[in-house]
C-alpha cells in the first residue's frame, strides 16, 4: 500500500479544486482543463463524506453522470458539501443535483434530447455576483450538450443566467451564495470557451491561486521524498526506458542519489536494441544507478505454448518479480559496509493520475480489461513500501516534469511502451521467431514515422503480429506469412483515443518496406479502431 505523507500532499500545498465524480466519462477532463489553467484539482467519488476529507478545497465541482437524479438508487452528494462554505459549480447531472436537492419536482425527463452543439444565450442580470461565471463571454457562446433530463422549474433562491432553445435553465446561479450550475459541458473541447468559464469559477469566484507550476512541484516533491525515505533507507525501482519510469527515476536520483537503484530487466520482448539504448540513456546521460538483468531466456521459456493474453501478462509479471526479488536481495547485500548501506525499504512505481482515477471514480474500479502494466504486487519477503511521485499527474504533465528535470526532449516525448512489451503485440504464442518479426516490422514503422516528421503528432504507434497467416506472392512463388497490423493513435490522456490519419502514400511505403524487408510477413493492415470500443494495445 502506498504511503503518502499527508502533510506534504499537493492539496495541502497548492490551492485545490475538488471534483466530485458522478460517473461521467468526461470527469477527468474537468481536472485537465483546470490544471491547464495552473489550478490544481483532484477527483473523488460523489459519495465522499466531507467529514473524511483531509483538506478543505477552495471550491467544489459536481460532475456530470449517466444516472437520473430522480431514480431510486441514483447517486447524491453529501449534504455537508453545502455547509462547507466554498463555491460550488454543478455540471450537467451536477446542475440537476443542485436543483433536485432543493425540490425533487425541479428536475424531470425532457421531451427532446439535447445532444451535441447548442447555442447558449447569456442573460445579463446586472448583478456581478450572479453574472461572474460568464464574465467576459459576451451575449452568446457555443456549447456541447449531452442530456435528456432537464431542470423544469427554477430552484428557489436561484436566477437564470443562460438558456438554449431546448433548456430554459441552461445555467443558473444562487442569488446570494456562490453556487452555480450549467447544463452543458465546459470541460469538452466542443465548448470552445469552456476554459474561460472554469477559470472564472476557479480563480475569480473561488479565489484559487494559479500556482500549479511544475518547477515548484519538483522542489516540493524532492523535499517530500527525502523526508519520507530518510537518511539511510534505499529505494528500488523498475525502469523500462519509458517516459514515466525515466522521469520517476531521475527524480529519485535528484532526491537521494545512488541510494536509488534502478533495475532494467531484459524480458526478451523489448524493442530492437532497446536495452542498449536504455542503458546508455539512464547511466551515461542521466547518471542513474542502474543494474541490467538478462532474463530473456527465462521469460521466453515460460511463455512457450501460451496464447491467452491475460496469462501472458501474469507470466511476465510473475517472472519479473522472481528476478527482481533476487536482484533486490543482492543489491542490499552488496551495499553492506559502503556509504550506501542501509535497508531497502521502498519500491518506486510510475503510477499516473489516470490509474488513480480508475480507482476513485464513482463507477468504481473498471472491469479487468487487462492486468495493469506496472508491477502490481511484490513478494512479502521484500516487505517494501510503495512510493509514487507521479501519481498526481497526467501524461502531458509528466512530460513537462521531465523537461524541467533536464531530460532530453526525444526521451520525454517517447511513446509509451507496455511492461509486457511486444508479447502483447504478438497475438497468440510468443516465440523467438515471432519476436524477431515484430521487432523488425516495428522498427521500420517507427523509423518511417520519424523520417516523415510526424512522430510527435501521434501518442502511440507500434506493429502487432497476427497469429493467422495470409497468402502472398513473392517472386514467382506463393508464400504464407503473418499479417502485420499497424496501430497509431492520438489521445490527450490515454483514457480514450482516435486512430491517426496517415497520408496514404506513407502507409503504402511502410507496407512495402515491411513486406519486402521482414521475412515472415505477407500482408500489412492498418487498425482504425477508436478507444472505446477498442483498446490501444492489442491484448
Amino acid at each position: 500500500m502506498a504511503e503518502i505523507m499527508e502533510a506534504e500532499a499537493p492539496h495541502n500545498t497548492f490551492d485545490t479544486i475538488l471534483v466530485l465524480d458522478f460517473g461521467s466519462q468526461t470527469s477527468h477532463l474537468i481536472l485537465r482543463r483546470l490544471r491547464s489553467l495552473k489550478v490544481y484539482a483532484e477527483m473523488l467519488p460523489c459519495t465522499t463524506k466531507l467529514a473524511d476529507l483531509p483538506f478543505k478545497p477552495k471550491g467544489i465541482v459536481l460532475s456530470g453522470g449517466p444516472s437520473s437524479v430522480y431514480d431510486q438508487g441514483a447517486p447524491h452528494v453529501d449534504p455537508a458539501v453545502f455547509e462547507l462554505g466554498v463555491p460550488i459549480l454543478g455540471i450537467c447531472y451536477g446542475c440537476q443535483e443542485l436543483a433536485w436537492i432543493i425540490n425533487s419536482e425541479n428536475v424531470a425527463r425532457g421531451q427532446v434530447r439535447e445532444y451535441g452543439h447548442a447555442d447558449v444565450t447569456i442573460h445579463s442580470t446586472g448583478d456581478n455576483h450572479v453574472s461572474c461565471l460568464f464574465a467576459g463571454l459576451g451575449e452568446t457562446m457555443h456549447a456541447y450538450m449531452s442530456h435528456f433530463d432537464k431542470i423544469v422549474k427554477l430552484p428557489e433562491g436561484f436566477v437564470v443566467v443562460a438558456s438554449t432553445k431546448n433548456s430554459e435553465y441552461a445555467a443558473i446561479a444562487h442569488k446570494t451564495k456562490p453556487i452555480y450550475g450549467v447544463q452543458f459541458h465546459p470541460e469538452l473541447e466542443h465548448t470552445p470557451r469552456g476554459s474561460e468559464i472554469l477559470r472564472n469559477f476557479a480563480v475569480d469566484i473561488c479565489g484559487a491561486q494559479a500556482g500549479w507550476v511544475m518547477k515548484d512541484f519538483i522542489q516540493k516533491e524532492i523535499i517530500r521524498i527525502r523526508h519520507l525515505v530518510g537518511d539511510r533507507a534505499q529505494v528500488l525501482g523498475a525502469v523500462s526506458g519509458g517516459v514515466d519510469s525515466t522521469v520517476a527515476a531521475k527524480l529519485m536520483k535528484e532526491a537521494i542519489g545512488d541510494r536509488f537503484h534502478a533495475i532494467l530487466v531484459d524480458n526478451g520482448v523489448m524493442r530492437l536494441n532497446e536495452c542498449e539504448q536504455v542503458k546508455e540513456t539512464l547511466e551515461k546521460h542521466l547518471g542513474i544507478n542502474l543494474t541490467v538483468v538478462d532474463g530473456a531466456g527465462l521469460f521466453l521459456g515460460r511463455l512457450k505454448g501460451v496464447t491467452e493474453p491475460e496469462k501472458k501478462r501474469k507470466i511476465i509479471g510473475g517472472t519479473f518479480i522472481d528476478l527482481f526479488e533476487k536482484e533486490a536481495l543482492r543489491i542490499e547485500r552488496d551495499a553492506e559496509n559502503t556509504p550506501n548501506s542501509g535497508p531497502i525499504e521502498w519500491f518506486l512505481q510510475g503510477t499516473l493520475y489516470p490509474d488513480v482515477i480508475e480507482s476513485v471514480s464513482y463507477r468504481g474500479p473498471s472491469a479487468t480489461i487487462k492486468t495493469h502494466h506496472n508491477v502490481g504486487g511484490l513478494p512479502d519477503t521484500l516487505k517494501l513500501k510503495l512510493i509514487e511521485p507521479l501519481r498526481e499527474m497526467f501524461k502531458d504533465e509528466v512530460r513537462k516534469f521531465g523537461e524541467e528535470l533536464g531530460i532530453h526532449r526525444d526521451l520525454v516525448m517517447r511513446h509509451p511502451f507496455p511492461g509486457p512489451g511486444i508479447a502483447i503485440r504478438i497475438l497468440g504464442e510468443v516465440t523467438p521467431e515471432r519476436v524477431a518479426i515484430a521487432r523488425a516490422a516495428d522498427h521500420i514503422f517507427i523509423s518511417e514515422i520519424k523520417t516523415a516528421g510526424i512522430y510527435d503528432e501521434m501518442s502511440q504507434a507500434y506493429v502487432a503480429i497476427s497469429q493467422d497467416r495470409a497468402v502472398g506472392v513473392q517472386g514467382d512463388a506463393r508464400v504464407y506469412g503473418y499479417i502485420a497490423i499497424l496501430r497509431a493513435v492520438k489521445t490527450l490522456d490515454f483514457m480514450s483515443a482516435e486512430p491517426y490519419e496517415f497520408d496514404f502514400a506513407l502507409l503504402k511505403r511502410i507496407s512495402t518496406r515491411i513486406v519486402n524487408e521482414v521475412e515472415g510477413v505477407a500482408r500489412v493492415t492498418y487498425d482504425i479502431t477508436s478507444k472505446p470500443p477498442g483498446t490501444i494495445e492489442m491484448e
Side-chain angles (χ1 to χ4, degrees):
M1 180 178 294
E3 291 196 9
I4 299 176
M5 292 188 61
E6 187 58 42
E8 299 296 339
H11 54 236
N12 287 330
T13 302
F14 300 93
D15 286 350
T16 302
I17 301 297
L18 173 63
V19 177
L20 292 178
D21 173 46
F22 284 89
S24 169
Q25 294 182 348
T26 63
S27 294
H28 65 285
L29 296 179
I30 303 172
L31 297 173
R32 292 186 56 80
R33 285 264 183 157
L34 288 168
R35 290 191 183 187
S36 70
L37 297 168
K38 298 182 180 179
V39 175
Y40 183 67
E42 289 186 8
M43 189 172 85
L44 290 172
C46 60
T47 50
T48 298
K49 298 298 181 185
L50 265 291
D52 299 330
L53 195 65
F55 68 102
K56 183 176 180 179
K58 297 290 288 187
I60 294 176
V61 176
L62 308 180
S63 83
S67 304
S68 293
V69 290
Y70 47 75
D71 283 347
Q72 186 175 0
H76 296 292
V77 73
D78 181 356
V81 163
F82 301 99
E83 301 170 6
L84 196 60
V86 301
I88 297 171
L89 171 63
I91 294 174
C92 198
Y93 182 98
C95 179
Q96 295 164 13
E97 173 80 345
L98 295 175
W100 182 88
I101 285 174
I102 294 173
N103 186 330
S104 61
E105 295 182 357
N106 288 338
V107 181
R109 199 165 190 78
Q111 295 181 347
V112 179
R113 295 177 184 270
E114 193 171 22
Y115 295 135
H117 169 85
D119 292 314
V120 177
T121 300
I122 299 169
H123 303 300
S124 177
T125 65
D127 184 335
N128 289 336
H129 157 72
V130 169
S131 303
C132 58
L133 188 66
F134 290 91
L137 272 70
E139 298 179 353
T140 60
M141 61 174 286
H142 299 307
Y144 185 86
M145 292 283 193
S146 180
H147 68 99
F148 195 178
D149 297 335
K150 60 188 294 187
I151 297 174
V152 294
K153 294 181 180 179
L154 185 65
E156 184 180 353
F158 281 76
V159 296
V160 181
V161 290
S163 61
T164 68
K165 184 178 180 180
N166 185 49
S167 293
E168 182 181 354
Y169 311 114
I172 58 176
H174 196 278
K175 293 178 181 177
T176 59
K177 300 176 182 178
I179 302 177
Y180 306 84
V182 294
Q183 186 61 74
F184 55 87
H185 289 270
E187 72 273 22
L188 296 179
E189 291 183 11
H190 304 296
T191 302
R193 304 188 72 179
S195 286
E196 294 176 59
I197 292 174
L198 292 174
R199 187 196 178 282
N200 286 343
F201 175 72
V203 177
D204 296 336
I205 296 173
C206 298
Q209 294 294 317
W212 181 239
V213 179
M214 208 53 64
K215 186 174 294 185
D216 295 340
F217 180 73
I218 290 172
Q219 295 306 315
K220 289 179 172 65
E221 190 63 13
I222 287 174
I223 293 170
R224 185 185 80 89
I225 290 170
R226 288 172 180 167
H227 191 45
L228 193 62
V229 172
D231 297 330
R232 294 189 64 252
Q234 300 185 79
V235 179
L236 290 181
V239 294
S240 64
V243 178
D244 305 338
S245 67
T246 301
V247 171
K250 177 61 173 174
L251 181 63
M252 294 304 298
K253 165 69 177 179
E254 294 295 315
I256 62 170
D258 285 346
R259 284 192 292 134
F260 169 64
H261 303 267
I263 299 177
L264 172 65
V265 177
D266 181 358
N267 56 17
V269 286
M270 298 179 78
R271 286 171 290 201
L272 190 66
N273 302 321
E274 183 110 49
C275 282
E276 294 83 353
Q277 292 171 1
V278 172
K279 189 173 188 298
E280 180 177 1
T281 297
L282 296 187
E283 274 190 340
K284 183 177 178 180
H285 299 298
L286 299 180
I288 292 170
N289 185 9
L290 177 69
T291 299
V292 180
V293 180
D294 183 4
L298 180 61
F299 278 91
L300 291 174
R302 291 185 178 182
L303 287 169
K304 187 175 182 180
V306 178
T307 59
E308 203 276 316
E310 191 65 10
K311 190 173 181 181
K312 281 197 243 180
R313 288 178 176 272
K314 288 180 177 177
I315 287 172
I316 292 171
T319 304
F320 172 86
I321 288 171
D322 290 345
L323 292 176
F324 197 88
E325 179 181 25
K326 182 179 178 181
E327 198 59 32
L329 295 173
R330 183 197 64 77
I331 288 172
E332 189 172 48
R333 186 173 58 249
D334 290 352
E336 293 178 0
N337 302 318
T338 73
N340 289 328
S341 64
I344 295 178
E345 296 182 2
W346 298 89
F347 176 70
L348 174 71
Q349 186 159 290
T351 307
L352 301 191
Y353 204 57
D355 304 319
V356 178
I357 287 175
E358 285 289 318
S359 65
V360 304
S361 170
Y362 166 72
R363 292 169 290 173
S366 59
T368 304
I369 298 172
K370 63 181 180 181
T371 300
H372 196 273
H373 63 270
N374 286 330
V375 180
L378 292 170
D380 292 338
T381 52
L382 284 180
K383 293 183 173 59
L384 297 184
K385 294 170 284 188
L386 196 60
I387 186 166
E388 300 172 298
L390 309 180
R391 65 177 279 116
E392 313 295 343
M393 297 186 182
F394 289 97
K395 178 70 75 172
D396 61 320
E397 292 176 315
V398 173
R399 296 191 197 280
K400 293 176 185 174
F401 199 177
E403 289 181 339
E404 290 288 346
L405 284 167
I407 300 174
H408 194 276
R409 191 176 187 280
D410 286 349
L411 200 158
V412 167
M413 297 305 296
R414 190 181 186 202
H415 293 173
F417 187 65
I422 57 179
I424 57 169
R425 296 172 177 177
I426 295 174
L427 307 185
E429 184 181 4
V430 179
T431 66
E433 175 206 12
R434 302 187 76 207
V435 169
I437 290 171
R439 279 177 173 162
D442 186 81
H443 183 69
I444 290 171
F445 187 35
I446 300 302
S447 296
E448 286 288 343
I449 288 171
K450 289 182 175 178
T451 299
I454 57 175
Y455 184 82
D456 289 348
E457 293 181 12
M458 57 194 73
S459 306
Q460 193 164 347
Y462 64 88
V463 175
I465 302 298
S466 170
Q467 59 186 327
D468 298 320
R469 293 176 185 262
V471 68
V473 178
Q474 295 182 3
D476 293 325
R478 289 167 63 87
V479 297
Y480 285 90
Y482 292 111
I483 302 170
I485 306 168
L486 310 182
R487 181 79 162 136
V489 298
K490 296 180 66 174
T491 177
L492 288 174
D493 48 34
F494 293 87
M495 300 181 78
S496 61
E498 293 295 326
Y500 181 80
E501 296 185 21
F502 276 97
D503 175 75
F504 193 62
L506 176 58
L507 272 182
K508 288 198 295 182
R509 183 163 68 249
I510 292 167
S511 173
T512 300
R513 281 198 60 191
I514 290 175
V515 172
N516 286 345
E517 298 176 31
V518 182
E519 186 175 355
V521 173
R523 297 282 183 93
V524 175
T525 64
Y526 182 47
D527 179 356
I528 60 169
T529 311
S530 301
K531 176 187 179 181
T535 57
I536 294 177
E537 292 292 346
M538 285 287 159
E539 291 188 340

